[in-house]
Amino acid sequence: MKGKQVLLTGGTGGLGLGVIPVILAQGAEVTIPYRNIKDVERLKSILSPTDFARLSFVPSNLEEEASVENLINHIGRVDVLIHLVGGFSMGKTHEYSFSSWKHELDINLNTTFLTCKYSLKKMLEHGYGRIVTVGSKAAVEPAGQFAAYSAAKAGVVALTQAIADETKGTNITANVVLPSVIDTPNNRKAMGAENADKWVKPESLAQIICFLGSEAAKDIRGAAIPVYGNI
Ligand SMILES: NC(=O)c1ccc[n+]([C@@H]2O[C@H](COP(=O)([O-])OP(=O)(O)OC[C@H]3O[C@@H](n4cnc5c(N)ncnc54)[C@H](OP(=O)(O)O)[C@@H]3O)[C@@H](O)[C@H]2O)c1
């Protein structure tokens, strides 16, 4: 990814923290959209000053089309889109609110559509692109109480594979990773750490994501890659 312009969405989240050092080690330029300046300040306190200085931050709400369009025009070029933005909530279907259902689709599927749409315009202009999206094991093995999340992530898989088909014959690829449980601070808080050794480490998933985002992965299109750790 040396010299490549990477748009890393969700870079301030649990997985983002694992992905940032791997992208920087590959020599890329990285832009991270954020909603709350406190998240940027937190990253500043965690990353080395040299790594932090190499990141650009743009305030954006990726659920809004105008905000995504502004973000991508601001960057000017997107060689690699790594779209980590997503969110999770659960509940039995007959008790689950319609507003929660719509929110799951907004945060997981609609942000993916919008960032892919506007990144693809730039990629097609420049004749180069790598898109990596994040689905979930729940997209291919839906479980009770996961209906909204599973449906949204199944949509992410379908969207990514449709883009991979649309971009055949170009140097643009699109692939999706399907994590099970990632070993993030939020998951440790929510579920305890007893089974954390079975979960996927963010830095391990980051290696797979960054490979798919690299020039070397030019012949992988439309893959939905299970990254389940030991679950
Ligand atoms: N954690 C897991 O076990 C797990 C398992 C399978 C799949 N995944 C998927 O992996 C991805 C990363 O997960 P994670 O654990 O790192 O999640 P996370 O810690 O909740 O991070 C999500 C990131 O997305 C950002 N974001 C959310 N809505 C946004 C919006 N409208 N505009 C701009 N930024 C927005 C968040 O910023 P804010 O602070 O502004 O909200 C945050 O930086 C997600 O797609 C998730 O569904 C996670």
Side-chain angles (χ1 to χ4, degrees):
M1 279 197 262
K2 194 163 175 51
K4 295 282 187 271
Q5 191 60 245
V6 178
L7 171 57
L8 174 65
T9 78
T12 62
L15 175 57
L17 260 184
V19 171
I20 290 170
V22 181
I23 306 182
L24 289 178
Q26 293 198 18
E29 310 290 319
V30 184
T31 301
I32 299 179
Y34 69 93
R35 291 193 295 188
N36 189 333
I37 192 68
K38 287 204 175 110
D39 290 331
V40 178
E41 286 158 5
R42 194 174 54 85
L43 273 185
K44 189 175 183 182
S45 70
I46 297 170
L47 295 172
S48 73
T50 331
D51 277 0
F52 184 78
R54 291 178 52 204
L55 303 172
S56 304
F57 294 92
V58 182
S60 316
N61 179 356
L62 304 186
E63 289 166 44
E64 290 174 6
E65 183 162 12
S67 184
V68 176
E69 192 173 6
N70 286 340
L71 165 70
I72 285 166
N73 285 337
H74 175 89
I75 307 170
R77 206 182 86 205
V78 180
D79 300 312
V80 182
L81 167 64
I82 297 178
H83 182 66
L84 307 182
V85 162
F88 171 76
S89 75
M90 60 189 286
K92 290 189 175 168
T93 303
H94 69 284
E95 293 165 348
Y96 199 72
S97 72
F98 187 42
S99 66
S100 299
W101 173 270
K102 285 191 282 195
H103 178 65
E104 282 302 291
L105 294 182
D106 270 341
I107 193 168
N108 288 297
L109 180 55
N110 294 343
T111 62
T112 310
F113 167 70
L114 289 171
T115 49
C116 286
K117 172 180 170 173
Y118 287 96
S119 298
L120 266 171
K121 286 177 190 277
K122 298 289 180 191
M123 290 173 177
L124 289 163
E125 267 171 42
H126 292 96
Y128 182 90
R130 297 283 179 270
I131 292 175
V132 187
T133 61
V134 184
S136 165
K137 185 181 183 189
V140 290
E141 294 181 33
Q145 304 205 39
F146 280 52
Y149 182 70
S150 298
K153 289 299 197 184
V156 170
V157 174
L159 168 64
T160 308
Q161 292 181 327
I163 292 169
D165 191 52
E166 285 169 16
T167 50
K168 268 185 196 153
T170 72
N171 194 3
I172 299 170
T173 66
N175 296 284
V176 54
V177 291
L178 309 176
S180 53
V181 182
I182 306 171
D183 187 5
T184 62
N186 281 350
N187 278 341
R188 283 181 177 238
K189 212 182 295 168
M191 292 186 273
E194 300 82 61
N195 293 316
D197 58 332
K198 298 196 175 85
W199 300 346
V200 180
K201 302 274 175 243
E203 49 279 16
S204 162
L205 181 51
Q207 294 291 341
I208 297 160
I209 289 173
C210 291
F211 172 67
L212 293 172
S214 72
E215 288 203 56
K218 67 181 171 46
D219 290 320
I220 306 178
R221 284 195 161 69
I225 300 180
V227 190
Y228 295 170
N230 288 297
I231 294 183

